[in-house]
Amino acid sequence: MTQLSQTTLLAVPLAPLVGATLAGLFGKAIGRKGAHTLTILGVLAAFIISAMTLMDVLGGARFNQTVYEWMVLGGLKMEVGFMIDGLSAMMMCVVTFVSLMVHIYTIGYMEEDPGYQRFFSYISLFTFSMLMLVMSNNMLQLFFGWEAVGLVSYLLIGFWFKKPTAIFANMKAFLVNRVGDFGFILGIGLILAYTGTLSYTEIFAKANSLVGPEIPGFGWPLITTICICLFIGAMGKSAQFPLHVWLPDSMEGPTPISALIHAATMVTAGIFMVTRMSPLFELSDVALNFILVIGSITALFMGFLGIIQNDIKRVVAYSTLSQLGYMTVALGASAYNVAVFHLMTHAFFKALLFLGAGSVIIGMHHDQDIRNMGGLWKYMKITWITSLLGSLALIGTPFFSGFYSKDSIIEAVHASHLPGAQFAYFAVVAGVFVTAFYSFRMYFLVFHGKEHFHHKPFPSADDHHHDDHGDHTPHESPWVVTLPLVLLAIPSVIIGYLTIEPMLFGDFLKDAITVHGEHHHAMGELKEEFHGAMAMALHSLQTLPLWLAVGGVATAYFFYLVKPSIPAALGRTFAPLVRVMENKYYMDWINENILAAGARLLGRGLWKGGDVALIDGLLVNGSARLVGWISGVVRLFQSGYIYHYALVMLVGVFALMSWFVLRA
């Protein structure tokens, strides 16, 4: 059996880090060509080694060792180490491949941007951060990667730092993730307090000891509290309701980073973490049910918001939110295999859809409103075909990658016996229609129908800059943009068919995921019903989800190509509901006007009442004034004249003698 080399594994995260460092620190010296060459070579090296590692893992190779011992505090070891099994090897390949496509694509998309070298540095650093997260064998390194992807996302969302909206968006992402991370670090702290270790292997070996105890003073079951705290971290990173609000606003960053954040890094970190921690989550049905319900709400209600979006990137962003909800639902149903399977298939077709959206934006001279498009298939054939393939994968078309993972989630939820399973099943089934509708609404409005770009019905604020520059007929993007689209379209179509059996029912993830089959038998039921990828696709022809998807596509076609007056009339009829959706269920309003305003009010109260009035006013200034007053009084008696002091002495002696006489 092949042994995995520590040195080779180290090269996987370090190669992008070297590229990021050189492009970031020496960007001016090496120029644009040098920056993209070095970073692409770094990510390419990481991808090649990751692919080789995956082949070795398929052959039975494993790695779980400390690479560097950072410090020892008492009996606590803080280390850098790698755990390479089926789960981490798959994640390494997904992260590096999608990142490589994004790097190549960026050459064309950011061609005219003055921050070209800086952008390449950031995305390469993003890749390094995510690789450190997925390869870690301990909670400390996991937390480092976790915070590092958060930091780089802050830099990338606010990349155009002169735009007020970008500054607001990156601050929003940062603050919302701090809420989630607070829960996450509490969970890690509880694990450390009760197990005395940060190593995955040692934590999992002691997992059963966490079942009995309760949190002192609260009476909460320890294992449930740990799992919910860890999942709150995942709610922030993987944008689950109500910590989802940062993700749509992250569209303020350049399109390539939207693809990287939404497809392979950051948002998948939470799904990966819960899967890695499956030995803990399996011990708490309460935590699993919580995950199931939160995922269901996100899957359905975020999909609804995708229906009313007109910005091409935001439609895809809400699609990401909905699909992350599907993954979370699978986690709650103890179908961890299915969750990471959908994570993998989703990474390819979602990266494809985002990069396709970016290609459309290039072709439309940076107009992002889908109502100004139409008929683009004539002008952008590669973008059109690849976007169609990505959309078909997203809605779960049989034989496409998204079908196998999405259908498996629906079946797993159906087999779950948790209290929230019925609601979850309704949410994921209804979500099929919603996904198909908003996906093909976007597709039809962009690539078919009337050509609106000649006389834009909804001109943007920038359009007057472009009016003087002649014809603005859309055009196909350069090859550095279309090549990643083609390369991403291939796995978007075939990867599900090829990998469903080993990933869900084979030994590929067997030692990476723990499922207590006697209590949670969703995966067992799926295995009994599975008779091959071909049979699964053929069987779907008589199932409800497929016909809901067909119904969603047909409805979108009829509404937006045949009778566009219908959605307009429905919008007027259901105006209050539309207003609620346009305001994103008023979540932003609640956050800004209640939570943030409340926090500011509390801060102002502590500042004015506590700091200014109590500390500065009463304690500091008050004590100074008291001393001054006492000094003023004492000053009346301290004249400096000897005869005054002599008189006081005489009065004192007289008073003392009188007291003795009277006492006697």
Side-chain angles (χ1 to χ4, degrees), residues 91-291:
M91 289 294 297
M92 287 159 64
C93 288
V94 169
V95 170
T96 50
F97 178 74
V98 172
S99 178
L100 180 61
M101 296 300 104
V102 168
H103 275 71
I104 297 168
Y105 179 95
T106 301
I107 297 172
Y109 193 88
M110 302 292 286
E111 186 180 14
E112 298 173 2
D113 199 284
Y116 189 86
Q117 294 99 312
R118 179 165 59 93
F119 190 81
F120 272 98
S121 174
Y122 286 175
I123 57 175
S124 217
L125 187 61
F126 209 165
T127 310
F128 157 76
S129 305
M130 191 64 189
L131 286 168
M132 288 297 285
L133 190 156
V134 300
M135 293 173 72
S136 65
N137 73 345
N138 62 85
M139 300 297 285
L140 180 70
Q141 189 177 325
L142 174 74
F143 190 71
F144 164 77
W146 192 270
E147 293 302 318
V149 291
L151 170 65
V152 187
S153 72
Y154 171 83
L155 297 173
L156 283 161
I157 295 167
F159 181 77
W160 289 317
F161 53 82
K162 292 183 180 178
K163 284 175 65 181
T165 50
I167 299 302
F168 182 80
N170 74 349
M171 185 57 72
K172 187 175 181 179
F174 193 78
L175 292 175
V176 172
N177 271 280
R178 294 293 69 72
V179 175
D181 292 354
F182 180 68
F184 188 52
I185 203 165
L186 279 179
I188 295 174
L190 285 170
I191 290 172
L192 178 59
Y194 283 88
T195 64
T197 180
L198 293 169
S199 165
Y200 292 164
T201 311
E202 293 174 18
I203 291 167
F204 299 156
K206 297 177 181 179
N208 288 326
S209 67
L210 303 173
V211 174
E214 296 181 341
I215 304 291
F218 294 94
W220 302 337
L222 176 63
I223 188 66
T224 298
T225 308
I226 288 173
C227 291
I228 288 177
C229 283
L230 292 176
F231 181 66
I232 288 170
M235 285 167 66
K237 275 289 177 290
S238 294
Q240 296 299 293
F241 178 89
L243 300 182
H244 67 279
V245 292
W246 68 269
L247 196 64
D249 287 8
S250 69
M251 297 299 99
E252 291 294 335
T255 301
I257 196 51
S258 300
L260 201 52
I261 287 178
H262 287 241
T265 59
M266 185 105 173
V267 295
T268 59
I271 309 299
F272 168 82
M273 182 273 294
V274 175
T275 305
R276 178 61 86 195
M277 295 291 126
S278 60
L280 299 181
F281 282 89
E282 280 297 284
L283 300 171
S284 176
D285 278 6
V286 175
L288 288 173
N289 203 61
F290 179 69
I291 293 170

Side-chain angles (χ1 to χ4, degrees), residues 240-575:
Q240 296 299 293
F241 178 89
L243 300 182
H244 67 279
V245 292
W246 68 269
L247 196 64
D249 287 8
S250 69
M251 297 299 99
E252 291 294 335
T255 301
I257 196 51
S258 300
L260 201 52
I261 287 178
H262 287 241
T265 59
M266 185 105 173
V267 295
T268 59
I271 309 299
F272 168 82
M273 182 273 294
V274 175
T275 305
R276 178 61 86 195
M277 295 291 126
S278 60
L280 299 181
F281 282 89
E282 280 297 284
L283 300 171
S284 176
D285 278 6
V286 175
L288 288 173
N289 203 61
F290 179 69
I291 293 170
L292 193 67
V293 172
I294 292 290
S296 309
I297 294 169
T298 309
L300 184 59
F301 289 93
M302 297 305 113
F304 286 146
L305 295 185
I307 296 171
I308 62 153
Q309 301 301 316
N310 296 312
D311 184 313
I312 189 170
K313 285 169 67 176
R314 284 185 181 262
V315 178
V316 189
Y318 279 105
S319 163
T320 301
L321 279 172
S322 181
Q323 297 308 304
L324 285 165
Y326 273 84
M327 296 175 210
T328 305
V329 166
L331 295 172
S334 292
Y336 306 96
N337 302 59
V338 182
V340 293
F341 181 45
H342 192 52
L343 185 160
M344 178 190 71
T345 61
H346 173 265
F348 296 119
F349 62 73
K350 187 50 56 74
L352 172 59
L353 285 169
F354 263 116
L355 298 186
S359 179
V360 168
I361 292 168
I362 295 172
M364 286 292 298
H365 306 279
H366 294 276
D367 187 352
Q368 297 181 193
D369 196 321
I370 58 178
R371 298 169 297 180
N372 293 333
M373 302 177 189
L376 295 191
W377 73 273
K378 298 176 197 172
Y379 309 94
M380 307 179 72
K381 289 217 167 28
I382 299 173
T383 304
W384 163 54
I385 294 289
T386 51
S387 296
L388 176 59
L389 293 173
S391 299
L392 289 169
L394 171 62
I395 70 169
T397 309
F399 299 105
F400 284 72
S401 61
F403 159 75
Y404 290 103
S405 53
K406 204 170 185 179
D407 230 52
S408 299
I409 291 173
I410 294 169
E411 291 301 315
V413 175
H414 188 57
S416 175
H417 296 291
L418 290 173
Q422 288 185 324
F423 169 66
Y425 183 68
F426 165 76
V428 293
V429 170
V432 172
F433 177 87
V434 175
T435 303
F437 181 77
Y438 69 66
S439 300
F440 275 81
R441 169 183 177 264
M442 179 180 76
Y443 170 76
F444 290 135
L445 285 175
V446 171
F447 294 105
H448 298 279
K450 293 180 182 176
E451 297 178 359
H452 294 293
F453 47 81
H454 300 297
H455 307 286
K456 295 179 181 178
F458 297 92
S460 68
D462 302 326
D463 283 339
H464 65 275
H465 297 304
H466 304 303
D467 290 341
D468 305 326
H469 301 316
D471 182 32
H472 279 278
T473 303
H475 55 83
E476 186 60 273
S477 303
W479 72 268
V480 286
V481 171
T482 54
L483 177 65
L485 296 181
V486 173
L487 292 176
L488 283 164
I490 297 166
S492 297
V493 177
I494 65 171
I495 197 81
Y497 184 90
L498 298 175
T499 60
I500 181 169
E501 194 160 354
M503 283 198 69
L504 267 53
F505 312 112
D507 293 334
F508 182 64
L509 295 172
K510 194 173 181 181
D511 56 343
I513 291 171
T514 300
V515 179
H516 293 169
E518 65 274 14
H519 302 299
H520 308 130
H521 31 74
M523 287 306 299
E525 291 189 29
L526 256 64
K527 191 172 184 177
E528 287 176 17
E529 294 171 4
F530 184 76
H531 303 291
M534 178 64 74
M536 184 176 173
L538 294 173
H539 174 70
S540 72
L541 299 174
Q542 52 188 316
T543 60
L544 179 61
L546 175 67
W547 293 107
L548 284 171
V550 171
V553 175
T555 307
Y557 176 80
F558 185 73
F559 276 18
Y560 295 97
L561 292 186
V562 180
K563 285 281 186 183
S565 58
I566 293 177
L570 287 172
R572 289 191 298 272
T573 306
F574 298 102

